[in-house]
Amino acid sequence: MNTKLLGAQDLISLQKELPQWEVQQSKLRRSWKFKDFVEAFGFITRVALLAEAMNHHPEWSNVYSKVTIELTTHDKKGLTNLDLQLAKSINLLG
Amino acid sequence: MNTKLLGAQDLISLQKELPQWEVQQSKLRRSWKFKDFVEAFGFITRVALLAEAMNHHPEWSNVYSKVTIELTTHDKKGLTNLDLQLAKSINLLG
Amino acid sequence: MNTKLLGAQDLISLQKELPQWEVQQSKLRRSWKFKDFVEAFGFITRVALLAEAMNHHPEWSNVYSKVTIELTTHDKKGLTNLDLQLAKSINLLG
Amino acid sequence: MNTKLLGAQDLISLQKELPQWEVQQSKLRRSWKFKDFVEAFGFITRVALLAEAMNHHPEWSNVYSKVTIELTTHDKKGLTNLDLQLAKSINLLG
């Protein structure tokens, strides 16, 4: 997969393609609020499986029913197609 | 929680209350088919959290997108309210 | 379980009892570094099971092989025996 | 990865290489007994991550502290290198 840094035009397209995600400095960020911890952790586990299969891992935090995920490509110091792909896969979770 | 064995009348009510579950000899049994392994394992993890919180654990098996759960109360050698409660909690998973 | 706030003397005992944890303002904090994401997430899942069974949930974050857990009792705005018990249970994970 | 069926000589080598696994008709099989459900499910979760990353999924069953895993390559109706690789990865779990 192409892992070069996304350019300015790519970032504009990306924000349109992923309206649920906030484009921060070199990061994509999204938060979720679930019914309870059981639902939140079920979601986290599904994201973990996607991430390990891509070998591209999020930064995330959780407290009870709230989950926040941040995506970046550490070795490129910014956003690449890996982040875009993982964000799209997360959006498709049932 | 009351953990005495359910009587014949209880079992008839239970089958009405839990139509998705098959009442087998001393067991409740239900199978699920998910879109893929990621969805199946997200479900499994949520059931694991419910089970540990109740300290009442299922017998279960998984291959790819298919999950089968059997509930019984081992130390009573049959079905008790613990099985009914866990089956209901599993039915409520989002 | 007694969930009143721990007093100053309790906090001193707690730091002795839990030397791996840092006592921060109203929080217990500990970080771990694992071999890889698989080991880190296996640990996270075991903590999730303990937390749900206690109905006392950590604030935690993860990136790849690093896990940080913070414990506090939100509705008491500080540390209680619930945090001490969860920290001890986490320390005992195999 | 080469996914042709292993030959008779390969199966003999495989049994030597994986003494903890039982070579059954077209299957590799191993059981584990853990301290409790928390440890058993932590293990299951790590296996789930390995399996999803390989896109090769085990048949497994669990009750409380006991886990049984069977490996086979369904679309080849027998054992292939995929099973050998997954068994080795499972053996290496910490």
Side-chain angles (χ1 to χ4, degrees):
Chain A
M1 191 178 286
N2 184 352
T3 55
K4 72 179 194 298
L5 282 174
L6 299 176
Q9 194 55 53
D10 299 321
L11 293 179
I12 292 167
S13 309
L14 180 146
Q15 184 66 84
K16 282 190 192 136
E17 202 171 356
L18 298 171
Q20 314 91 335
W21 294 75
E22 192 184 331
V23 183
Q24 293 191 330
Q25 286 194 338
S26 311
K27 287 191 179 182
L28 286 175
R29 188 176 195 279
R30 186 173 172 191
S31 291
W32 290 260
K33 183 86 166 66
F34 294 92
K35 190 184 65 171
D36 54 24
F37 180 70
V38 169
E39 293 299 324
F41 198 73
F43 172 74
I44 287 168
T45 299
R46 291 179 293 157
V47 173
L49 291 164
L50 297 179
E52 183 64 12
M54 282 185 62
N55 195 25
H56 187 59
H57 299 85
E59 298 180 22
W60 54 7
S61 60
N62 161 247
V63 55
Y64 194 59
S65 59
K66 192 175 170 198
V67 178
T68 299
I69 294 183
E70 293 185 344
L71 302 178
T72 191
T73 304
H74 288 98
D75 58 351
K76 299 290 173 179
K77 303 201 167 86
L79 289 167
T80 69
N81 268 325
L82 287 170
D83 303 300
L84 175 58
Q85 292 310 312
L86 184 51
K88 281 185 184 174
S89 296
I90 292 171
N91 282 353
L92 290 174
L93 286 177
Chain B
M1 191 179 288
N2 183 352
T3 56
K4 71 178 192 302
L5 282 174
L6 298 176
Q9 194 53 56
D10 299 321
L11 293 180
I12 292 167
S13 310
L14 179 147
Q15 184 65 85
K16 282 190 193 138
E17 203 172 356
L18 299 171
Q20 315 91 335
W21 294 74
E22 192 185 331
V23 184
Q24 294 192 327
Q25 286 193 338
S26 311
K27 285 191 181 184
L28 287 176
R29 189 175 193 280
R30 186 173 173 190
S31 291
W32 290 259
K33 183 88 166 64
F34 294 91
K35 191 183 65 172
D36 55 23
F37 180 71
V38 170
E39 293 300 323
F41 199 75
F43 172 74
I44 287 166
T45 299
R46 290 180 293 157
V47 173
L49 291 164
L50 296 179
E52 181 66 12
M54 281 184 63
N55 194 26
H56 187 60
H57 300 85
E59 298 181 22
W60 54 7
S61 60
N62 161 248
V63 55
Y64 194 59
S65 59
K66 192 176 169 198
V67 178
T68 299
I69 294 183
E70 294 185 344
L71 303 178
T72 191
T73 304
H74 289 99
D75 58 351
K76 299 289 173 179
K77 300 200 169 87
L79 289 167
T80 68
N81 268 325
L82 286 170
D83 303 300
L84 175 58
Q85 291 311 311
L86 184 50
K88 281 185 186 173
S89 296
I90 291 171
N91 282 353
L92 290 174
L93 286 177
Chain C
M1 190 179 289
N2 183 351
T3 56
K4 71 179 196 298
L5 281 174
L6 298 176
Q9 193 55 52
D10 298 321
L11 293 179
I12 292 168
S13 308
L14 180 147
Q15 184 66 87
K16 282 189 190 138
E17 203 171 353
L18 299 171
Q20 313 91 333
W21 294 75
E22 193 183 331
V23 184
Q24 292 191 329
Q25 286 193 339
S26 310
K27 285 193 181 183
L28 286 176
R29 188 176 196 279
R30 186 174 172 190
S31 292
W32 289 259
K33 184 86 167 63
F34 293 91
K35 190 183 65 171
D36 54 25
F37 181 71
V38 170
E39 293 299 322
F41 197 73
F43 172 75
I44 286 167
T45 299
R46 291 179 292 158
V47 173
L49 291 164
L50 296 179
E52 182 66 11
M54 282 184 63
N55 194 24
H56 186 59
H57 299 84
E59 298 180 22
W60 58 266
S61 60
N62 161 247
V63 54
Y64 195 57
S65 59
K66 193 178 170 196
V67 178
T68 298
I69 294 182
E70 294 185 345
L71 303 177
T72 191
T73 304
H74 289 98
D75 58 352
K76 299 290 173 177
K77 301 199 168 87
L79 289 166
T80 69
N81 267 324
L82 287 171
D83 303 300
L84 175 58
Q85 291 310 311
L86 184 50
K88 281 185 184 173
S89 296
I90 292 171
N91 282 352
L92 290 174
L93 287 177
Chain D
M1 192 179 289
N2 183 351
T3 55
K4 72 176 193 301
L5 282 174
L6 298 176
Q9 194 55 53
D10 298 321
L11 293 178
I12 293 167
S13 308
L14 180 146
Q15 185 66 88
K16 282 191 192 136
E17 204 171 355
L18 299 170
Q20 314 91 336
W21 294 75
E22 193 184 332
V23 184
Q24 295 191 329
Q25 285 193 338
S26 310
K27 285 191 181 183
L28 286 176
R29 189 176 195 279
R30 186 175 172 189
S31 292
W32 290 259
K33 184 87 167 63
F34 293 92
K35 191 183 66 172
D36 54 25
F37 180 70
V38 170
E39 293 299 323
F41 197 74
F43 173 74
I44 288 167
T45 299
R46 291 179 292 158
V47 172
L49 291 164
L50 296 179
E52 182 65 12
M54 280 184 64
N55 194 25
H56 186 59
H57 300 84
E59 299 180 23
W60 58 265
S61 61
N62 161 246
V63 53
Y64 195 59
S65 59
K66 193 176 169 197
V67 178
T68 298
I69 294 182
E70 294 185 345
L71 303 178
T72 191
T73 304
H74 289 98
D75 58 352
K76 299 290 173 176
K77 301 199 168 89
L79 289 167
T80 68
N81 267 326
L82 287 170
D83 303 301
L84 174 59
Q85 291 310 313
L86 183 51
K88 280 186 186 174
S89 296
I90 291 171
N91 282 353
L92 289 174
L93 287 176

